[in-house]
């Protein structure tokens, strides 16, 4: 039986392992120390280090006002009205020791091998520091890029700055304890303020109508109050509640309602339609199916196969008849269906008086089915009572002072819209400014009468166009074109002019 001696070999392996570990530890130590040295070098060669040294020096100099003035050649400071009586330089120097004082890179305006820093406290800039590279860019261990920097210029001293602010018109503003009423009114119930020439960051107090103070932040000269501000333009069939109470909007000329909600506390704004849908609003756009349908009473309109609620149906006088609304009884009325559903894809259907489905305009919010096709000729019974072209010519002559008010008034319905227009013109100084002239022969050409529409039994409209030819006293020939819709009303068996409006694509 053989006896193997293994103990000496085990000891040899152990010594080899210990030697390897020792060598590895030395290598790791030197690597760590090398990286540590690189980190120290990297930190020391960063441009921020140079700015830190500058800031420390400025803090020391700021303790001696006279030394600071002489070093940076600070002249006389002209205070704005809100800083009068303030020790601007003294307060400025104290900011260097403020814990909030910091520095940051100021972008733009320097060469590739330069950097500009700004030292600031809040929104007040205390100094600018310009650095220039003194060595080429080096990269070590593939990740440490560094170069040497030196300070080439330090600019310090108070500099005037302007601030701007926009507030709701019912909010008040004080600046450095003084009331500020120098705002400019803007559309939408807001006031814009411009605060000029501040060496120090202004102290503001922004108050709502209840006297509560609003917080604010300043960013680059722009003062931003922390106010919840919701501005919405909604169809009039949409309801809005603010903190569980009805919110009243302002109606625009186009029938939409404008809502402006501004307050310090977060409001609870709920928007509801007439179809059982509601949304808690926190800003942004709304999902909505919207269409306004204008038609007569014989059309049928439905939403998701159900009739449109009565609260969304309005009877209105067509815009083209507004000028005779107070003169003519029983004018045709439009049915206006204000459809607004707080969901996308609601199905709207419109059926004409014959039961045919009307094709809805894709992407449009208005479907106008009230267009009336007129006749190219005036009925004989009307022509036998009045020559509408003669009335149009008389009006044209009146506007150029070739016809008196007494003459034109014989063709007009008293107390009507057009009568009032003619009377005001007869007494207006504008009439005296019309250029002196003579009428040419023929005086009128290119006459046209058409689009006759019987509005009611005692009212009709007709489109009339013509061109009047004149020679001014300056020997210049002028062609005066007219293209208007004339509204005539029968009074005591006689047809009289009650209104006129220029014929346009929307008329």
């Amino acid at each position: 039986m053989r006896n193997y001696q293994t103990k000496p070999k085990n000891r040899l392996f152990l010594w080899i392992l210990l030697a390897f570990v020792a060598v590895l530890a030395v290598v790791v130590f030197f690597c760590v120390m090398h990286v540590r040295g690189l980190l120290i070098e990297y930190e020391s060669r960063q441009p921020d280090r140079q700015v830190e040294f500058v800031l420390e020096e400025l803090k020391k100099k700021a303790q001696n006002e006279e030394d600071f003035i002489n070093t940076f050649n600070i002249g006389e400071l002209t205070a704005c009205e809100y800083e009068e009586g303030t020790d601007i330089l003294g307060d400025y120097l104290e900011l260097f020791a403020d814990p909030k004082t910091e520095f940051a890179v100021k972008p733009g305006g320097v060469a590739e091998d330069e950097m500009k820093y700004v030292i600031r406290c809040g929104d007040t800039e205390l100094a600018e520091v310009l650095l220039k590279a003194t060595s080429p860019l080096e990269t070590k261990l593939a990740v440490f890029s560094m170069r040497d920097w030196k300070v080439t210029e330090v600019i310090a001293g108070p500099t005037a700055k302007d601030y701007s602010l926009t507030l709701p018109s019912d909010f008040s503003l004080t600046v450095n304890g003084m009331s500020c009423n120098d705002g400019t009114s803007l559309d939408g119930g807001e006031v814009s303020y411009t605060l000029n020439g501040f060496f120090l960051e202004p102290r503001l107090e922004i108050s709502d109508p209840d006297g509560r103070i609003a917080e604010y932040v300043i960013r680059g000269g722009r003062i931003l109050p922390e106010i919840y501000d919701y501005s919405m333009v909604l169809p009039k069939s949409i309801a809005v509640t603010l903190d569980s109470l009805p919110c009243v909007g302002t109606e625009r000329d186009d029938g939409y309602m404008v809502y402006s909600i501004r307050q310090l506390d977060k409001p609870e704004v709920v928007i509801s339609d007439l179809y059982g849908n509601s949304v808690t609003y926190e800003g942004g756009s709304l999902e909505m199916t919207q269409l306004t349908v204008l038609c007569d009473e014989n059309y049928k309109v439905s939403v998701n196969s159900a009739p449109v609620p009565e609260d969304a149906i309005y009877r209105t006088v067509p815009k083209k008849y507004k000028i005779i609304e107070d003169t003519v009884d029983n004018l045709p009325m439009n049915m206006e269906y204000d459809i607004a559903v707080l969901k996308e894809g609601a199905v709207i259907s419109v059926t004409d008086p014959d039961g045919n489905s009307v094709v809805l305009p894709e992407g449009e919010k208005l479907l106008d089915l009230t267009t009336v096709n007129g006749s190219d000729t005036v009925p004989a019974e009307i022509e036998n009572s009045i020559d509408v072209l003669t009335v149009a010519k008389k009006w044209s002559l009146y506007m150029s002072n070739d016809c008196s008010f007494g003459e034109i008034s014989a063709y007009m319905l008293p107390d009507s819209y057009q009568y009032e227009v003619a009377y005001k013109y007869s007494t207006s100084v504008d009439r005296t400014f019309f250029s002196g002239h003579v009428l040419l022969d023929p005086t009128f050409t290119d006459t046209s009468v058409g689009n006759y529409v019987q509005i009611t039994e005692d009212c009709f409209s007709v489109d009339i166009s013509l061109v009047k030819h004149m020679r001014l006293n300056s020997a210049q020939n002028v062609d005066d074109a007219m293209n208007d819709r004339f509204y005539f009303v029968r009074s005591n068996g006689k047809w009289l002019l009650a209104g006129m409006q220029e014929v346009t694509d929307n008329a």
Side-chain angles (χ1 to χ4, degrees):
M1 182 177 179
R2 296 181 180 180
N3 185 18
Y4 294 96
Q5 301 294 325
T6 60
K7 192 171 184 180
K9 292 183 178 180
N10 289 340
R11 288 179 178 177
L12 178 62
F13 175 77
L14 180 62
W15 284 109
I16 293 173
L17 179 62
L18 290 174
F20 177 77
V21 171
V23 171
L24 184 61
V26 171
V27 172
V28 170
F29 173 77
F30 279 104
C31 289
V32 169
M33 295 304 294
H34 179 64
V35 172
R36 181 175 180 273
L38 280 179
L39 286 172
I40 294 173
E41 181 185 4
Y42 178 78
E43 290 293 334
S44 66
R45 298 178 70 181
Q46 291 304 299
D48 287 12
R49 295 291 296 161
Q50 300 298 323
V51 184
E52 289 176 2
F53 295 146
V54 171
L55 179 55
E56 290 303 317
E57 288 298 314
L58 288 174
K59 287 181 179 180
K60 295 176 183 178
K61 283 190 174 294
Q63 296 174 7
N64 188 320
E65 185 173 305
E66 184 176 353
D67 182 27
F68 199 95
I69 292 174
N70 294 332
T71 300
F72 297 103
N73 194 26
I74 297 175
E76 183 179 355
L77 304 176
T78 303
C80 69
E81 60 176 311
Y82 297 103
E83 289 186 328
E84 290 180 355
T86 302
D87 182 8
I88 295 175
L89 182 58
D91 292 346
Y92 161 83
L93 294 176
E94 289 180 0
L95 294 177
F96 282 100
D98 193 301
K100 297 192 297 292
T101 297
E102 59 183 359
F103 59 84
V105 175
K106 191 170 186 176
V110 294
E112 183 180 355
D113 60 346
E114 293 180 334
M115 294 189 72
K116 182 180 287 187
Y117 282 76
V118 59
I119 298 174
R120 64 194 178 198
C121 182
D123 200 62
T124 301
E125 295 188 1
L126 304 179
E128 285 188 359
V129 182
L130 182 64
L131 306 179
K132 187 173 182 64
T134 59
S135 69
L137 187 66
E138 302 176 59
T139 301
K140 298 182 179 181
L141 292 183
V143 294
F144 295 102
S145 297
M146 62 191 83
R147 65 197 311 180
D148 296 323
W149 297 88
K150 71 173 182 179
V151 178
T152 58
E153 186 178 19
V154 178
I155 302 173
T159 55
K161 187 173 183 178
D162 299 335
Y163 296 86
S164 61
L165 168 67
T166 300
L167 291 175
S169 58
D170 55 354
F171 276 55
S172 61
L173 172 67
T174 62
V175 181
N176 292 345
M178 291 179 280
S179 178
C180 180
N181 300 306
D182 299 330
T184 301
S185 296
L186 305 175
D187 294 337
E190 293 184 320
V191 177
S192 173
Y193 298 89
T194 301
L195 310 175
N196 296 324
F198 283 78
F199 290 100
L200 304 170
E201 184 178 304
R203 303 183 312 277
L204 307 181
E205 187 174 282
I206 301 169
S207 305
D208 70 2
D210 297 326
R212 295 180 297 178
I213 306 301
E215 300 293 330
Y216 64 91
V217 295
I218 301 179
R219 294 176 182 163
R222 180 69 178 160
I223 301 171
L224 305 172
E226 296 181 357
I227 300 173
Y228 289 94
D229 187 347
Y230 299 150
S231 294
M232 301 171 289
V233 179
L234 299 172
K236 53 190 174 183
S237 64
I238 293 290
V240 179
T241 62
L242 172 60
D243 296 331
S244 302
L245 296 175
C247 184
V248 180
T250 302
E251 186 172 359
R252 297 195 315 195
D253 291 340
D254 59 3
Y256 280 79
M257 304 298 295
V258 179
Y259 297 88
S260 296
I261 299 172
R262 301 182 180 97
Q263 61 186 54
L264 303 187
D265 301 326
K266 184 176 181 179
E268 182 184 5
V269 180
V270 178
I271 301 174
S272 306
D273 62 20
L274 296 172
Y275 306 89
N277 305 303
S278 63
V279 175
T280 299
Y281 184 74
E282 295 184 353
S285 59
L286 292 167
E287 291 187 358
M288 186 179 299
T289 301
Q290 183 183 350
L291 180 66
T292 298
V293 181
L294 297 177
C295 58
D296 63 37
E297 296 177 324
N298 296 317
Y299 282 78
K300 293 182 179 179
V301 183
S302 64
V303 177
N304 292 333
S305 302
V308 176
E310 286 296 325
D311 289 345
I313 304 175
Y314 309 91
R315 293 175 59 87
T316 62
V317 174
K319 290 183 179 180
K320 59 187 175 182
Y321 297 151
K322 288 293 184 181
I323 61 174
I324 57 173
E325 182 179 8
D326 298 331
T327 304
V328 180
D329 296 329
N330 301 319
L331 282 172
M333 302 291 286
N334 282 344
M335 299 294 292
E336 179 181 334
Y337 294 84
D338 181 30
I339 301 170
V341 186
L342 291 173
K343 284 185 177 180
E344 292 183 349
V347 179
I348 302 172
S349 62
V350 181
T351 306
D352 67 16
D354 296 326
N356 301 314
S357 295
V358 177
V359 178
L360 304 185
E362 186 174 352
E364 298 292 332
K365 293 184 178 181
L366 175 64
L367 174 61
D368 190 348
L369 302 172
T370 61
T371 302
V372 178
N373 296 321
S375 171
D376 291 335
T377 59
V378 179
E381 60 270 21
I382 299 293
E383 285 188 327
N384 292 335
S385 301
I386 183 173
D387 185 347
V388 295
L389 183 57
T390 296
V391 177
K393 291 178 179 179
K394 283 291 185 181
W395 179 263
S396 178
L397 293 172
Y398 177 64
M399 297 305 293
S400 59
N401 295 335
D402 295 300
C403 173
S404 68
F405 176 72
E407 292 178 84
I408 190 65
S409 63
Y411 295 90
M412 307 182 73
L413 180 69
D415 299 325
S416 65
Y417 169 85
Q418 208 61 36
Y419 186 94
E420 293 298 325
V421 171
Y423 177 77
K424 288 180 180 178
Y425 183 66
S426 70
T427 58
S428 171
V429 68
D430 294 341
R431 194 175 188 189
T432 63
F433 293 129
F434 199 91
S435 300
H437 62 278
V438 294
L439 299 174
L440 298 181
D441 186 16
T443 302
F444 295 100
T445 62
D446 302 312
T447 59
S448 173
V449 177
N451 194 28
Y452 170 88
V453 176
Q454 189 73 43
I455 301 172
T456 70
E457 183 180 354
D458 294 316
C459 177
F460 72 86
S461 68
V462 63
D463 294 353
I464 304 175
S465 62
L466 52 82
V467 178
K468 179 175 60 181
H469 306 282
M470 302 174 288
R471 183 187 295 274
L472 303 183
N473 292 345
S474 61
Q476 178 184 2
N477 287 353
V478 173
D479 296 332
D480 180 23
M482 181 177 70
N483 183 24
D484 284 63
R485 182 161 297 156
F486 287 70
Y487 293 90
F488 290 89
V489 175
R490 182 160 50 190
S491 177
N492 296 322
K494 187 176 182 180
W495 290 103
L496 299 171
L497 179 62
M500 287 172 53
Q501 60 182 1
E502 184 180 5
V503 175
T504 64
D505 293 338
N506 298 321

